[in-house]
Each structure stands twice: as C-alpha cells, then as structure tokens.
C-alpha cells in the first residue's frame, strides 16, 4: 500500500498512466488498470492460459461479467468520480435496485455457469482461474456489511457460488497467504 502523500507524488510526476491506482511496474514499464494487471499476473502465475486463446476468452468474459456486476455498486459508492451527485436518497434507491434486481440476476448467471462446470470453477478449468480469484474477494466484500442497502445474506440463495468461494478459500496457497497476511479489521 502507498500513503496519500506517495499517491499524490505519483500523480504529480505522471507515474500513474491514468492518474489512479492500481498500477504495477514490470521491467521499468508501468501497467495500469485492474483487469490488465490481473491478466498479466494471472498469465505469469498460470491462472490465465496464454497458450489457449479460447480458454483465455472464456475466462476474460467472466472477468468482464464481474466488472458489469459491480459497476452499479462502484457508482453508488463513488458517484462524483462518475459524474453523479449521490444524495443519500438516490444512493438508497440505487442500492435497493442493486440488491433486489441487478445483483441477483448476475448471481443467477454465476450459479448457472457453476452448474455447467465439472470442476466447480467458473470457467470449468481444472484449477481456479483469474475469474475465480477476482469474483471471490469481491463477493466477500459485497456482503461484508460495507455496503449499506446490500443484504449480508444476499449469497445465501446461491449454493454453487458459495461452494466455489469456500473451495477457493480452502486452497492451501490461499490459506497460507491469509495466515501470513490477515485481512485488516473493518
């Protein structure tokens, strides 16, 4: 993590290609945008199969689905960044629509994808892909209580989604990571 002061200095120096984080420096080149970094790191780590373009496209479509699913949540949290004046009443209406209509529609899609998967992973890959790694923490955060108006039990009606989340969180590498880097208290 960087401090606000470090962030401001990076912005002022032009060190952030789009003036925002995340960014990743690789061999002197700055990569920007979450999905780009995710695909790069996933390919290096074997979670995005560079040699199988069709498998990459299937995985990428799921990463794009995550972006679609969380777009409304992001706008409701950071309205001015997107050009919206988010009054409390407007945010409440948006969150109600997200909770009651938009998010369940996306969760049903994920439930169906997992129902068609022989492996329990979203893209049907033998091992988890970047799609699984992007969805799990976002879904955990979604129902963490950090988003007023989003039911903390929203995922309860999607057993395949919650099973995939538990499966990913039980991977020895994930367990070891969180033992070494416990999540910050809310």
């Amino acid at each position: 993590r960087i401090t606000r002061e470090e962030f401001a200095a990076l912005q002022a120096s032009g060190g952030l290609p789009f003036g925002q984080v995340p960014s990743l420096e690789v061999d002197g080149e700055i990569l920007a945008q979450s999905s780009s970094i995710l695909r790069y790191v996933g390919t290096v780590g074997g979670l995005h199969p560079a040699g199988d373009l069709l498998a990459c496209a299937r995985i990428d479509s799921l990463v794009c689905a995550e972006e679609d699913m969380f777009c409304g949540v992001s706008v409701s949290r950071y309205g001015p960044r997107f050009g919206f004046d988010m009054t409390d009443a407007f945010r409440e209406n948006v969150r109600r629509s997200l909770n009651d209509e938009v998010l369940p529609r996306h969760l049903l899609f994920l439930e169906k994808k997992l129902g068609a998967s022989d492996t329990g992973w979203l893209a049907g890959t033998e091992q988890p892909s970047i799609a699984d790694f992007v969805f799990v923490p976002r879904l955990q955060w979604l129902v963490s209580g950090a988003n007023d108006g989003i039911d903390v039990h929203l995922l309860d009606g999607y057993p395949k989604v919650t099973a995939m989340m538990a499966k990913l969180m039980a991977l020895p590498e994930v367990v070891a990571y969180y033992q070494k880097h416990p999540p910050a208290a809310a």
Side-chain angles (χ1 to χ4, degrees):
R1 298 234 180 241
I2 61 175
T3 66
R4 288 188 184 275
E5 294 77 20
E6 291 167 328
F7 175 71
L10 280 170
Q11 274 188 314
S13 72
L16 300 173
F18 298 105
Q20 62 191 32
V21 291
S23 68
L24 175 68
E25 185 174 351
V26 178
D27 298 330
E29 183 172 343
I30 303 294
L31 301 177
Q33 299 294 7
S34 299
S35 293
S36 172
I37 294 168
L38 175 70
R39 286 176 179 93
Y40 174 79
V41 171
T43 301
V44 170
L47 301 172
H48 197 247
D52 185 342
L53 295 179
L54 188 56
C56 283
R58 281 193 303 271
I59 292 166
D60 288 349
S61 72
L62 287 157
V63 172
C64 291
E66 182 272 338
E67 293 166 357
D68 285 349
M69 180 176 180
F70 283 90
C71 181
V73 178
S74 294
V75 171
S76 74
R77 288 183 67 86
Y78 310 109
R81 177 178 168 197
F82 295 98
F84 293 99
D85 180 20
M86 297 300 284
T87 64
D88 290 342
F90 185 65
R91 180 178 288 108
E92 184 179 330
N93 287 334
V94 168
R95 294 278 174 89
R96 184 177 310 109
S97 178
L98 288 167
N99 188 77
D100 297 348
E101 301 168 31
V102 176
L103 295 170
R105 183 172 56 244
H106 287 278
L107 288 166
L108 184 58
F109 163 76
L110 295 179
E111 193 75 3
K112 287 179 182 177
K113 290 295 278 184
L114 288 164
S117 171
D118 293 332
T119 64
W121 301 117
L122 283 166
T125 50
E126 285 300 314
Q127 300 297 321
S129 72
I130 61 173
D132 303 292
F133 277 96
V134 77
F135 263 108
V136 169
R138 291 286 277 170
L139 291 169
Q140 289 174 323
W141 168 80
L142 180 68
V143 297
S144 69
N147 299 289
D148 292 340
I150 304 297
D151 187 348
V152 296
H153 301 288
L154 182 64
L155 303 180
D156 291 355
Y158 305 93
K160 291 175 179 61
V161 171
T162 56
M164 181 272 298
M165 293 170 68
K167 182 177 179 177
L168 187 127
M169 294 306 292
L171 291 171
E173 298 86 350
V174 174
V175 170
Y177 174 84
Y178 281 111
Q179 286 174 341
K180 188 174 179 180
H181 307 282

